[in-house]
Amino acid sequence: MMDSLVKQVRAVGGNVYRRHLRRDVPILCLHRIRDVNGAGPAKLAELLDHCADRYQTITLGEFATILHAGRALPRNAVVITFDDGTIDHFTLAAPALAARGLSATFALIGCTLFERALPPLHAYMHLIETAAGRSFRFGFPPVLAERDWILDADGKRVLLADDCPLRRIVQAGDPALAADVVTALGETLGIPLPDASDLFVTLDQARALVDAGHEPAGHSLRHQDVDEPDRKTWLRDLHADFDVMNDAFGRRPHPYIYPFGRTRSPDVHARIRDAGFCCAATTQWGANRRGDDPFALRRIGIDNRTPIPWPPIYR
Ligand SMILES: [Zn+2]
């Protein structure tokens, strides 16, 4: 009696779970392809094998079009996103996707495409890691409001000096000020800044990704925090970033991916939409359903610690 009840409950639970899976569209979020603070090549291969077996990839822009139209979501759809446009997305991720016939959305930082400039935050992280000779996990706002920190490879929190320039870089409304801070840090550490081409995809490489069926997405002009206090500069840069996307890839629906993955300002969604972007993705954990706000899409962060298949999504 008890056994059959348990079986019934399990059967109902299983059905609910399967229906739930069909209703939800997971948007996977990856950063650099590396074993510390990212998903390494082996984890990427495991993830993409799973996606090729169980899902059909659609791009973020295609998903936004479906959401805007209120159409039924395709069954077993998944969106794969890569943030920041680092060079390993071209050298490692793109071939791994191509080998499995999958498409993805690549969030590109505007200044790396035409100016070949380094986003200050990424230049900063590069300098710290080069000086230390190893990789770190970096802490970002709102943690920075309390104190700057990075995590070492074992996940141990390491506090930086009180006058660590990371906070100033992140919050600098003035990109020139942020660049000055990075340059000064490089001089202090005695490490020259690398060429942008060493760290980020070039415009030609980004266009080759698009030609191969992938999709570009805006990710701000210099990876500024959308909640930075200087709203005027942020708005100007947001519109400039949309122009960069059109200049680089032509007029098409351009998705946006929030730098630092989120916003605390309720009017930001409308500003992103007004600038011309078709949707925006956060790093808030979860999947997405019909009727969801296309400018607050949830994603599932994937790194070496994430089990594949990723855990079921309840919300
Ligand atoms: Zn980013």
Side-chain angles (χ1 to χ4, degrees), residues 31 83-84 107 109 122 219 223 257-261:
H31 286 81
D83 284 18
D84 298 333
I109 302 170
H122 296 78
H219 196 46
H223 211 279
I257 292 183
Y258 294 106
F260 304 106

Side-chain angles (χ1 to χ4, degrees), residues 186-199:
E187 282 168 6
T188 307
L189 296 173
I191 300 166
L193 277 176
D195 188 270
S197 311
D198 297 338
L199 297 183

Side-chain angles (χ1 to χ4, degrees), residues 36-312:
V36 175
N37 200 17
K43 179 58 89 176
L44 179 68
E46 185 190 359
L47 175 73
L48 297 186
D49 282 344
H50 177 67
C51 289
D53 276 356
R54 300 282 302 274
Y55 291 90
Q56 265 198 319
T57 44
I58 59 173
T59 65
L60 199 52
E62 287 167 344
F63 181 47
T65 303
I66 292 168
L67 277 182
H68 281 299
R71 297 209 313 264
L73 299 180
R75 284 175 72 147
N76 300 328
V78 65
V79 181
I80 305 175
T81 64
F82 291 88
D83 284 18
D84 298 333
T86 48
I87 191 72
D88 49 0
H89 294 171
F90 185 77
T91 56
L92 297 176
L97 290 160
R100 295 163 178 84
L102 302 172
S103 61
T105 297
F106 290 90
L108 305 164
I109 302 170
C111 72
T112 63
L113 292 178
F114 285 106
E115 299 171 24
R116 298 307 295 149
L118 288 169
L121 178 71
H122 296 78
Y124 173 89
M125 294 192 293
H126 175 83
L127 290 172
I128 291 284
E129 293 193 330
T130 306
R134 61 198 179 101
S135 300
F136 293 102
R137 296 181 195 281
F138 285 83
F140 292 123
V143 178
L144 284 183
E146 298 154 21
R147 191 144 182 196
D148 300 328
W149 58 271
I150 54 181
L151 289 183
D152 68 15
D154 303 322
K156 207 174 74 187
R157 186 176 285 208
V158 179
L159 287 175
L160 298 180
D162 282 345
D163 59 352
C164 166
L166 186 54
R167 184 181 300 135
R168 274 182 288 150
I169 290 172
V170 168
Q171 293 180 339
D174 178 0
L177 170 65
D180 285 351
V181 171
V182 170
T183 305
L185 179 69
E187 282 168 6
T188 307
L189 296 173
I191 300 166
L193 277 176
D195 188 270
S197 311
D198 297 338
L199 297 183
F200 292 90
V201 297
T202 65
L203 180 57
D204 284 346
Q205 288 167 336
R207 285 175 171 158
L209 290 174
V210 175
D211 288 344
H214 303 299
E215 176 186 63
H219 196 46
S220 85
L221 210 52
R222 293 181 178 79
H223 211 279
Q224 303 97 317
D225 190 352
V226 296
D227 288 328
E228 72 178 35
D230 182 357
R231 185 42 62 100
K232 232 195 215 158
T233 305
W234 178 77
L235 269 178
R236 193 193 60 214
D237 284 0
L238 177 68
H239 286 265
D241 189 40
F242 188 67
D243 291 342
V244 164
M245 295 299 289
N246 285 323
D247 289 348
F249 308 108
R251 293 203 167 264
R252 49 189 281 160
H254 291 303
Y256 189 82
I257 292 183
Y258 294 106
F260 304 106
R262 55 89 188 89
T263 173
R264 292 186 297 277
S265 309
D267 70 321
V268 161
H269 299 181
R271 295 279 179 264
I272 305 277
R273 187 191 61 221
D274 294 348
F277 292 99
C278 65
C279 65
T282 68
T283 49
Q284 192 185 340
W285 210 88
N288 303 279
R289 294 177 191 166
R290 192 176 180 176
D292 279 353
D293 178 356
F295 291 88
L297 298 174
R298 296 170 174 84
R299 290 192 291 171
I300 298 166
I302 304 284
D303 63 23
N304 272 8
R305 298 165 300 180
T306 315
I308 305 296
W310 51 86

